[in-house]
Amino acid sequence: SKVDCAKDLKTAKVYMTVSGETKEEREAVLSAVQASAGFIRKELAADFKALRTVPSLTFILDESGVYGARIDELLAGLGRG
């Protein structure tokens, strides 16, 4: 959902939204992506050959979508009462 890259391009925080019913399911997906960070970085290097440095990637679970959906649910419940 968002990427924050350091000015020197050595590191990048990748915020990702993951579909899943439970927090455990979302964290399992995040864990799998984190385990693949080296492979993803290598693929980026192949696509962005003009860059001298491809950032080291840190993946972070973005729960804002889940939070927003919960707020919508609560607000909808207020309208019924």
Side-chain angles (χ1 to χ4, degrees):
S1 57
K2 175 180 156 181
V3 176
D4 287 332
C5 196
K7 288 183 182 185
D8 63 2
L9 296 180
K10 290 188 178 184
T11 61
K13 293 179 183 175
V14 181
Y15 296 87
M16 54 186 278
T17 302
V18 178
S19 298
E21 289 295 316
T22 67
K23 185 166 180 79
E24 290 79 21
E25 289 173 342
R26 293 188 297 273
E27 288 178 350
V29 172
L30 176 64
S31 184
V33 171
Q34 287 173 330
S36 301
F39 172 78
I40 295 168
R41 185 176 185 209
K42 183 177 135 189
E43 291 297 306
L44 287 172
D47 287 345
F48 296 103
K49 293 178 182 180
L51 292 178
R52 260 191 333 161
T53 303
V54 174
S56 175
L57 306 173
T58 301
F59 293 94
I60 300 166
L61 192 57
D62 180 358
E63 295 278 10
S64 62
V66 174
Y67 181 75
R70 179 68 180 135
I71 296 296
D72 288 344
E73 186 180 299
L74 291 170
L75 291 173
L78 289 175
R80 291 186 215 138

